[in-house]
Amino acid sequence: MALEEMDKRRLSGVDIIGRKKGLLVTPDLCIGCRGCQTACKEWNKLPGEGTVNRGTYENPPDLTPNLYNRIRFVETSTPDGLRWLFVSQRCMHCTDAGCIRVCPSPGALFRTPEGAVAFNKARCIGCKFCVAGCPFNIPRYDENDRISKCHLCSDRIANGLSPACAKTCPTGAISYGDRVDLIREARTSGYKAVYGEADLGGLGVLFAFREAPSFYGMPDKPSFSPTIGLWKGILKPLTIIGLAGAVAAAATHYVTVGPKEIDEGGDE
Amino acid sequence: MKKDLVQKTTGFERFNHLVLAASFSILFLTGLGFLYHTLSWINTMFFGVHNAKVIHEWAGVVFSISLILTFGNYLGESLRFSREDSAWISSLGGYFSRTAEPPPQGKLNAGQKIFYLLIVVGGGLAISLSGYMLWLFPSSRGNILFGHFLHNIAVLLFAVTVPLHIYLGTAANPGTFRVMTRGTVTRAWAKKHHGKWARDLGID
Ligand code: SF4
Ligand code: SF4
Ligand code: SF4
């Protein structure tokens, strides 16, 4: 259906996948310094928040409206002993982004020319549908019920700078560049499967994992709920077809079978 | 009332139908603006997307109250199925032939009963309940996913049937529109469309 097609073309990132910018996260290189958390707050002018000691170095415990990026400290015991993994958690800038698909307010979530999924609080109507649409549980809400999340430093990358988190990372665990180059780099460094290369049309944030994604606490096959596919893929086009079909059927009936005229003469 | 006119609907019934139709139209238009980004200009006309959301929510409240108020007028009659109803269905209401006439019908014919039960009550309750779920409990992921799905199934039902409902109440059946505007119909109309009801009223 034309309307659905137009929406899809405008929303999807498929046409930009070739020139899409992205980040490559390499947990092997991460030293858990959390410079990226701080640099992100600094650039985006996000206030610090008080937390309590939970008996782990991981802090804060979850993303918040004022925390777009966080290092998860994953402790896993393996036959070779304990493994301590540092994994960045933030918006993945999905090519087929569930959040954009479900958002009812055009422009509240949008794709930048570099392929990032950015947001405009002024257009967000606070419905929170995007939370349910996101396979990674990323969007958070500020005190006015407006969306807030990592936007790949869309303001910086539009001006040729690299995102604050990547720029500050001292080890290269977060690196920024053309998505295709990042994938090639990871391959050259010996990572066979790059997480996010093909998932959801290709994630903007790629991970160089040595083990299965679940080992790092990531979904092996990230996907959004099938009801979103049914809703946007089937019900949405069917609604406009049904509406047009019903109007056409009524018009056709009128000019073929015709109305039920009343023979008024017989009654008076 | 003129001598040759018969009362079919009460003033309250017509007023409530108007409220239902008006709130439905507002909901349908703003809803299309939310569903199809290509049609978001509709919500610009409803004073911008933020106001359109508030209008959609409160029009939904009006719609659901009005929906409940229709129960008293049509639910009892719609649940009574009799022989004329099966005959109406097997002749497809006489709508697909210039000659076939269904047998005399009561105050509501089988098509009206089915439309009322399945679309107005079924679809109306589904869209109202899911609407309240989406509006009042947005923090639950399951709520949003299921609520959306249900909301849109109901939208599909309405998109297909409401244009037909409007057509059947206007152009397809001359003399019918006044049932919902004036409340009265001619004796000839009553005999043609609801013969059994007319007979019960003593119209020969
Ligand atoms: S909460 Fe805001 S950004 Fe999220 S889906 Fe609703 S309007 Fe879009
Ligand atoms: S990770 Fe979630 S919020 Fe980010 S683009 Fe994908 S669906 Fe949207
Ligand atoms: S890309 Fe920018 S907004 Fe996103 S986590 Fe890094 S610094 Fe924060």
Side-chain angles (χ1 to χ4, degrees):
Chain A
M1 199 58 211
L3 277 182
E4 170 67 8
E5 270 310 307
M6 281 162 76
D7 274 5
K8 220 192 271 166
R9 196 159 322 133
R10 224 161 31 82
L11 298 179
S12 81
V14 176
D15 56 330
I16 53 158
I17 186 81
R19 57 188 161 86
K20 190 170 174 170
K21 298 285 186 187
L23 294 173
L24 175 67
V25 178
T26 313
D28 285 352
L29 299 179
C30 181
I31 53 173
C33 72
R34 291 180 297 212
C36 52
Q37 286 183 203
T38 316
C40 177
K41 276 187 183 279
E42 178 115 17
W43 176 256
N44 290 295
K45 299 195 180 60
L46 302 168
E49 292 163 302
T51 50
V52 294
N53 186 342
R54 296 177 302 129
T56 162
Y57 283 108
E58 183 185 78
N59 189 47
D62 195 6
L63 295 177
T64 75
N66 294 318
L67 184 70
Y68 295 170
N69 158 38
R70 164 182 101 98
I71 300 298
R72 287 189 300 112
F73 286 50
V74 185
E75 289 168 45
T76 315
S77 51
T78 67
D80 313 327
L82 191 73
R83 290 272 304 269
W84 211 20
L85 308 160
F86 308 127
V87 192
S88 163
Q89 178 192 17
R90 82 246 326 290
C91 172
M92 311 289 269
H93 303 282
C94 317
T95 298
D96 189 359
C99 59
I100 301 191
R101 276 213 192 206
V102 297
C103 179
S105 178
L109 283 161
F110 62 96
R111 190 167 304 277
T112 72
E114 297 79 21
V117 176
F119 57 88
N120 176 357
K121 282 188 197 249
R123 290 192 154 255
C124 172
I125 57 175
C127 64
K128 304 191 182 172
F129 292 175
C130 51
V131 180
C134 173
F136 299 100
N137 183 26
I138 298 301
R140 294 290 183 274
Y141 287 84
D142 66 15
E143 60 287 356
N144 301 316
D145 259 358
R146 300 285 175 257
I147 188 183
S148 112
K149 69 171 188 69
C150 162
H151 49 94
L152 200 62
C153 282
S154 50
D155 44 352
R156 291 176 62 93
I157 63 177
N159 290 295
L161 299 170
S162 62
C165 54
K167 172 130 179 123
T168 215
C169 181
T171 67
I174 303 176
S175 58
Y176 170 77
D178 284 344
R179 202 176 163 277
V180 280
D181 295 341
L182 294 173
I183 294 172
R184 197 173 330 115
E185 261 167 48
R187 286 259 165 69
T188 321
S189 314
Y191 294 95
K192 272 186 241 60
V194 179
Y195 186 77
E197 187 176 351
D199 305 284
L200 298 160
L203 302 179
V205 178
L206 303 150
F207 287 79
F209 284 159
R210 287 224 183 272
E211 329 278 342
S214 51
F215 189 74
Y216 299 83
M218 303 285 283
D220 281 319
K221 287 251 164 295
S223 63
F224 41 76
S225 160
T227 60
I228 293 177
L230 276 179
W231 168 37
K232 293 290 183 182
I234 297 180
L235 287 176
K236 190 176 157 183
L238 220 53
T239 300
I240 213 80
I241 295 171
L243 184 64
V247 173
T252 309
H253 182 268
Y254 191 74
V255 297
T256 53
V257 181
K260 287 191 182 178
E261 304 285 2
I262 306 216
D263 183 13
E264 289 283 351
D267 191 53
E268 307 301 309
Chain B
M1 199 198 309
K2 286 219 323 263
K3 190 154 91 290
D4 56 332
L5 291 179
V6 191
Q7 182 94 22
K8 178 118 196 307
T9 52
T10 65
F12 172 75
E13 207 176 323
R14 295 195 300 282
F15 172 74
N16 193 38
H17 181 262
L18 186 68
V19 172
L20 196 68
S23 56
F24 177 88
S25 307
I26 292 170
L27 288 161
F28 195 70
L29 286 173
T30 47
L32 285 182
F34 289 128
L35 184 57
Y36 301 96
H37 285 196
T38 327
L39 299 180
S40 62
W41 52 268
I42 298 177
N43 284 336
T44 309
M45 297 199 314
F46 280 91
F47 314 104
V49 69
H50 291 91
N51 291 315
K53 176 179 185 254
V54 176
I55 293 171
H56 192 81
E57 287 159 352
W58 288 97
V61 173
V62 172
F63 175 84
S64 55
I65 294 174
S66 176
L67 173 72
I68 307 268
L69 292 177
T70 65
F71 290 1
N73 288 115
Y74 312 112
L75 198 54
E77 175 77 12
S78 295
L79 286 171
R80 260 192 299 280
F81 251 69
S82 53
R83 222 171 321 128
E84 309 89 72
D85 291 316
S86 352
W88 189 95
I89 293 170
S90 40
S91 70
L92 295 171
Y95 280 108
F96 292 96
S97 138
R98 285 177 197 252
T99 47
E101 280 278 340
Q105 297 289 308
K107 192 169 182 187
L108 295 180
N109 65 39
Q112 293 172 310
K113 290 176 183 178
I114 293 169
F115 175 74
Y116 182 70
L117 292 177
L118 287 187
I119 309 299
V120 181
V121 177
L125 286 181
I127 208 157
S128 303
L129 289 177
S130 54
Y132 284 113
M133 275 164 67
L134 293 171
W135 179 20
L136 302 176
F137 307 104
S139 302
S140 150
R141 198 184 175 84
N143 228 353
I144 295 276
L145 291 173
F146 179 71
H148 250 145
F149 193 55
L150 194 59
H151 214 62
N152 276 263
I153 288 183
V155 170
L156 176 59
L157 283 181
F158 287 131
V160 174
T161 56
V162 170
L164 299 177
H165 171 66
I166 295 172
Y167 171 60
L168 291 171
T170 55
N173 294 298
T176 304
F177 189 51
R178 53 181 302 146
V179 173
M180 281 304 165
T181 52
R182 310 294 307 280
T184 53
V185 291
T186 63
R187 297 164 81 89
W189 184 95
K191 277 201 285 188
K192 175 161 176 91
H193 290 292
H194 298 274
K196 192 165 162 244
W197 171 67
R199 209 174 340 137
D200 293 347
L201 287 181
I203 303 165
D204 48 297

